[in-house]
Amino acid sequence: MITPHDSAALPQQSSTANSPAPSTALDRLPLHTPALVTGLHSASGEQEEGTVLRLMEIGFLPGEAVRVVARGGFGVDPIAVRVGQATFALRRSEASMVQVQIGVEVQP
């Protein structure tokens, strides 16, 4: 089991032997673009540790399929994100903690 204190050990991005797919933070993922979660950024404080733990608890774990399905007006909060079979509204600051890999074949 991964705890918030272990979040620093989570992978930041993964790569393949041939050519790695582009990697970015979830808040920068274009609408409706399929991607895979590759990791979460390290928490730098107690509040961020709580956010990282909450993100892991709701399913933002390495290997999970993810896509942005909607954004707030004028590109502000919230961001509606589909992870696995669930949809969540995240603040941009929360979404920026999730690292994703674009262009990976996502199995339904």
Side-chain angles (χ1 to χ4, degrees), residues 14-28:
S14 63
S15 61
T16 60
N18 297 335
S19 64
S23 182
T24 188
L26 180 58
D27 66 320
R28 295 175 181 232

Side-chain angles (χ1 to χ4, degrees), residues 26-27 68 70-72 76-81 88-92 95:
L26 180 58
D27 66 320
V68 175
R71 295 186 190 279
V76 296
D77 292 338
I79 301 171
V81 179
F88 298 98
L90 299 179
R91 293 179 185 95
R92 187 171 300 280

Side-chain angles (χ1 to χ4, degrees), residues 14-101:
S14 63
S15 61
T16 60
N18 297 335
S19 64
S23 182
T24 188
L26 180 58
D27 66 320
R28 295 175 181 232
L29 187 66
L31 279 175
H32 307 292
T33 302
L36 288 178
V37 175
T38 58
L40 297 168
H41 288 283
S42 303
S44 61
E46 219 173 287
Q47 184 177 3
E48 282 189 6
E49 283 182 2
T51 300
V52 168
L53 178 59
R54 184 175 78 86
L55 289 168
M56 291 187 320
E57 287 173 343
I58 63 176
F60 289 93
L61 298 169
E64 281 295 322
V66 66
R67 64 188 167 99
V68 175
V69 295
R71 295 186 190 279
F74 304 108
V76 296
D77 292 338
I79 301 171
V81 179
R82 183 101 172 148
V83 60
Q85 298 299 313
T87 303
F88 298 98
L90 299 179
R91 293 179 185 95
R92 187 171 300 280
S93 61
E94 295 168 332
S96 70
M97 299 176 100
V98 180
Q99 193 70 19
V100 298
Q101 191 171 18

